[in-house]
Amino acid sequence: MNAELISVGTELLLGEIVNTNAQYISTQLAVLGISVYYQTTVGDNRDRLLSALSAAFERSDIVILTGGLGPTADDITKEMVADFFGLKLVRDNESEQRIKDYFKRINSNAVPSNFKQADMPEECIILENNNGTAPGGIIEKDGKIAVFLPGPPSEMKPMFEESVFPFLREKSPERLYSREINTFGIGESKLEEMLKPIMTGQTDPTIAPYAKDSGVMLRLTTKAKTEEEANRRFDPVEEQIRKIAGDIIYGYGAEELQDSVYKLLKEKNLKIATAESCTGGMLGEFLTSVPGISEFYEMGVITYSNDMKIKLLGVSAQTLDEYGAVSEQTAKEMASGVLRVSGADIGVGITGIAGPGGGSEEKPVGLVYVGIADSKGGVECRRLTLAGNRDRIRRVTVKNALNAVRLKIADF
């Protein structure tokens, strides 16, 4: 089954209201295994709305409309739906009484136009509105289904969850299941090329890469009757992906790099400390966003000036004079210094040029060094050459630092 969404309201076309209804309904339909191929926004105009309905039903089994159920003359959604199916509007006594009760409850008087909302298409399944005055409805006729819902999200969402979702679930025996695999350290096109032997000809489950701020996410998708059935399809495909992608995979779903680092720290009972310059504490901020990290995060220090790098971390003045604050040597000494001061198992040192000024031909904006020292005596450094504004450079630096830490702990 496939569906189309029609959002009704001139205010949407003018940009006065952000259309969050279409996003919400699309995600709910995906859960039900119902595909959405088109979304339409149309103003409060009879001819254009009727034309949108005709086009939608030519290509879709289900059309869900939101908005245009109010009491004023320009609220015409259910009237046009009734016209499309050749149905009359009739007064629904229960809806009329609910409207009366609503106005009594708020200590106000209803005007005659309010009861326009109780006029519903004949043969319509009436959907109660427990959060407003406009009932919704479902019409099932000639192999097509029309659903009309109020526009305010505070009324639409409860009505969808209470009435529409259960109705459509009965019509769709299979649901859409997804498994999201998160990767870091490789671009979308390169990852797709790497996985081409698997993705070519793979139809169930489908595999699709999506670029995110924290790397590339691979989404496996299938339609199945149960979660167990879906997992039986996902597992062998994921195993193939892991054999090719290896350690660039760090987690699933909403899991971020800092979550992966926390899990590894906990699993191996290790402690970490950080020393930051250009990122200004952002690495510490990301780490401390994870509940429970306090057991494994010893300390974080921001050593912006060279003096503080020397006094707090023991970075050599000779190193700073010879190589500069932004250098592999300084990053390594920062990592080793915070490791020594904290007594942690892993020490991280970050130094670089976030911009927009301060760069040179030899050391341009976006040049960053991430040093990692460990209690076994090892120390290494990663050189990053990043592009973008100041905020992006800092954030991408932190993501790369977290990934480097993740890989270090995995081998610890």
Side-chain angles (χ1 to χ4, degrees), residues 177-374:
Y177 291 90
S178 295
R179 181 179 294 181
E180 297 174 348
I181 304 171
N182 298 323
T183 73
F184 188 87
I186 190 170
E188 184 179 4
S189 57
K190 190 172 181 180
L191 180 59
E192 185 177 41
E193 184 66 27
M194 181 188 296
L195 298 176
K196 200 170 185 179
I198 302 175
M199 296 177 68
T200 301
Q202 178 69 44
T203 57
D204 189 20
T206 58
I207 308 170
Y210 297 91
K212 297 169 59 181
D213 179 55
S214 54
V216 178
M217 180 263 285
L218 290 169
R219 177 178 289 145
L220 311 185
T221 306
T222 188
K223 284 185 179 180
K225 293 181 179 179
T226 65
E227 187 174 358
E228 291 74 16
E229 181 184 338
N231 287 333
R232 284 196 297 270
R233 297 175 190 172
F234 290 147
D235 290 344
V237 177
E238 182 184 339
E239 186 177 350
Q240 288 180 284
I241 291 171
R242 285 190 170 275
K243 285 180 180 177
I244 295 174
D247 61 12
I248 68 169
I249 295 173
Y250 71 81
Y252 297 92
E255 187 175 350
E256 298 283 358
L257 282 161
Q258 57 266 32
D259 299 310
S260 178
V261 168
Y262 166 71
K263 286 182 179 179
L264 287 167
L265 288 169
K266 186 175 181 179
E267 177 187 322
K268 302 204 173 186
N269 194 30
L270 300 176
K271 296 185 184 296
I272 189 171
T274 58
E276 303 179 61
S277 183
C278 64
T279 48
M282 190 179 286
L283 175 57
E285 179 186 351
F286 273 56
L287 285 170
T288 55
S289 70
V290 183
I293 194 67
S294 58
E295 188 177 348
F296 308 101
Y297 185 34
E298 289 290 82
M299 65 173 287
V301 59
I302 303 169
T303 52
Y304 226 65
S305 71
N306 285 353
D307 283 346
M308 290 301 102
K309 289 180 176 68
I310 294 170
K311 291 178 181 179
L312 297 181
L313 301 176
V315 175
S316 166
Q318 182 179 347
T319 297
L320 292 166
D321 288 340
E322 186 173 349
Y323 301 104
V326 180
S327 64
E328 175 181 343
Q329 292 79 4
T330 297
K332 285 182 174 180
E333 291 190 26
M334 288 173 67
S336 298
V338 78
L339 183 76
R340 182 179 61 255
V341 170
S342 66
D345 302 288
I346 303 290
V348 184
I350 298 176
T351 181
I353 305 171
S360 65
E361 186 174 346
E362 182 184 356
K363 295 183 179 182
V365 170
L367 175 65
V368 182
Y369 293 95
V370 178
I372 300 180
D374 63 67

Side-chain angles (χ1 to χ4, degrees), residues 3-57:
E4 181 160 341
L5 311 183
I6 299 179
S7 305
V8 183
T10 302
E11 66 276 11
L12 294 170
L13 293 173
L14 294 175
E16 295 172 353
I17 296 177
V18 177
N19 185 5
T20 59
N21 287 344
Q23 179 189 24
Y24 168 80
I25 295 172
S26 291
T27 60
Q28 296 300 306
L29 293 177
V31 170
L32 291 166
I34 298 173
S35 302
V36 177
Y37 295 144
Y38 298 93
Q39 295 183 6
T40 302
T41 302
V42 61
D44 303 301
N45 179 280
R46 291 176 176 269
D47 292 339
R48 286 193 285 271
L49 180 50
L50 197 58
S51 176
L53 275 167
S54 299
F57 274 117

Side-chain angles (χ1 to χ4, degrees), residues 88-100:
K88 295 179 181 179
L89 290 177
V90 295
R91 178 64 54 95
D92 178 62
N93 293 331
E94 290 186 12
S95 296
E96 182 180 34
Q97 186 59 49
R98 281 195 293 270
I99 292 171
K100 291 178 180 177

